[in-house]
Amino acid sequence: MPFLILNLFGVLDAKRSGEDAVKSYAMNSGCSYSIIRPGRLVGGPYTNLDLATLFQVEGGASNGVTVQSGDALLGDCKRDVCAEAVLQCLENRECEDVVFSMHRFRASSATASMTAGVSAAAAAAIFLSYPARMERDHHHDVQYSISRETIQQHTTSNNNIMTAWSSSLLDSNYWLRSNIPTKCEAVNNKKMDTVNNNKTFASNTPATVYGEEEESNSANGRINYYYKRMNPNDVDRTSLMESHAIFGPLWGEGLIERYHVYKRINTNNEHPQIVLQSPRELTVVDLKVGKKLNGHDGIIHGGIISLLFDEAMGWAYECLQQQDQIDSSGMIIVTANLTVNFRAPFLAGSEAVIRVYHNETKGRKIYFSARLESKDGRVVFAEASSLFVLARKDKLRMKER
Ligand SMILES: CCCCCCCCCCCCCCCC(=O)SCCNC(=O)CCNC(=O)[C@H](O)C(C)(C)COP(=O)(O)OP(=O)(O)OC[C@H]1O[C@@H](n2cnc3c(N)ncnc32)[C@H](O)[C@@H]1OP(=O)(O)O
């Protein structure tokens, strides 16, 4: 069928952007995904409004299916078959990061057919025992609108999320995550955005920066904290905005699109006006990177990540200096050593936070560590440790070997 007709009202565009969103969410969250592209859904219950519903198209007696990678298959797909595939994907690790289309097998046999393209293991895992299973488990009675709970009950594969093209199949278009305890929940984008903690934050705390620690060293056992935005315009360096790597040349659409630095301020729980000292977490940077800073296609360059860390730690020194009232007149803080471990691809166009921790100060040597992580803290993209040295400005010079 011509693409123009299939894509009437932008249906296929919407499906593609849904898939892209699932993949990108999976990458950012450290989950895998399975994407099922069923043909037109037929067979009851008729939950969506289309011609198949109008004419109560049954889809025949056969429950056989054909599976193929990509979207080359044309035809329809029975709802119960699709529902079964959803459950099978969640149960089989072979189905992680798999995209396949699925259609009714037109021969009279009820045996599943696999077409090359989808990994043989995945296809086998999904469908080899499929007809027998349908008989055994009476899945004809399966709840076609699969609830979150049903999915969770059937989820044994590790950390998989999935989507199916048909919103009539899954309740509320849930994107599903599986059984790592903290992640064992069905999430949709609205829920994701409203994840919050019950800490007391100042009103200037961005919704994207979350507190995570239960401090226990104040008199009454708890410390409240909030984050105060630091303003780069206050920096006593007139050239900062023009020649600074981040706020100058690398700033803008497609480049570094946000780099908001927040200083963590701890207060006594009972007397919030009293600011407490020595939090290990000094600074949080709320950042967004564009799509023009890549090394590999779609993945932010490791050098850029190192830059983001280096800067965050420089600002952390500023926070430390304000807090400990270090006298640094005539001195400048420079990075002597920076080590970065890259843990997961940081995708172009992503938002994230960097949390910087103060480890130790020895004379003019200051040691920091930091994490670049997703905004909900579930994925660590990179970790860094550094040594900053406070050097005299007038002595800082090119050294001879
Ligand atoms: C409200 C508004 C707020 C505004 C808020 C503004 C915030 C705005 C933030 C901007 C943030 C920018 C952040 C970018 C920061 C850079 O990127 S700076 C650029 C990159 N770094 C450089 O160019 C530094 C080049 N290196 C040097 O100049 C010199 O090697 C150093 C690091 C100054 C050290 O030289 P030195 O002063 O002669 O000292 P030296 O005796 O060699 O070493 C001192 C100690 O450090 C140790 N050390 C030195 N290097 C190393 C090393 N690589 N590994 C291990 N140990 C080392 C030595 O062993 C020695 O240890 P001790 O013997 O004292 O125990």
Side-chain angles (χ1 to χ4, degrees), residues 61-67 77-86 88 102-105 110-114 123-140 142:
S62 166
N63 285 320
V65 286
T66 303
V67 187
C77 181
K78 292 179 78 176
R79 277 188 177 79
D80 54 357
V81 170
C82 195
E84 174 68 18
V86 169
Q88 296 271 357
M102 188 177 70
H103 290 268
R104 192 157 51 98
F105 189 53
T111 308
S113 143
M114 287 156 284
I126 305 169
F127 293 112
L128 261 188
S129 63
Y130 171 68
R133 187 187 158 110
M134 289 288 283
E135 289 304 315
R136 192 182 66 235
D137 296 349
H138 305 291
H139 270 253
H140 297 91
V142 75

Side-chain angles (χ1 to χ4, degrees), residues 9 47 51 54 91 95 102 136 176 181 217 257 348 358 376:
F9 310 111
T47 45
L51 289 177
L54 187 63
E91 288 181 351
C95 303
M102 188 177 70
R136 192 182 66 235
L176 302 158
N217 56 349
E257 298 181 357
H358 174 226
D376 60 8

Side-chain angles (χ1 to χ4, degrees), residues 235 237 310-311 314-315 318 335-336 364-365 387 391 396 399:
V235 179
R237 279 197 280 158
D310 195 15
E311 179 72 10
W315 283 80
E318 182 68 23
T335 321
R364 59 197 183 95
K365 295 190 296 185
L387 166 64
L396 201 62
K399 284 185 177 174

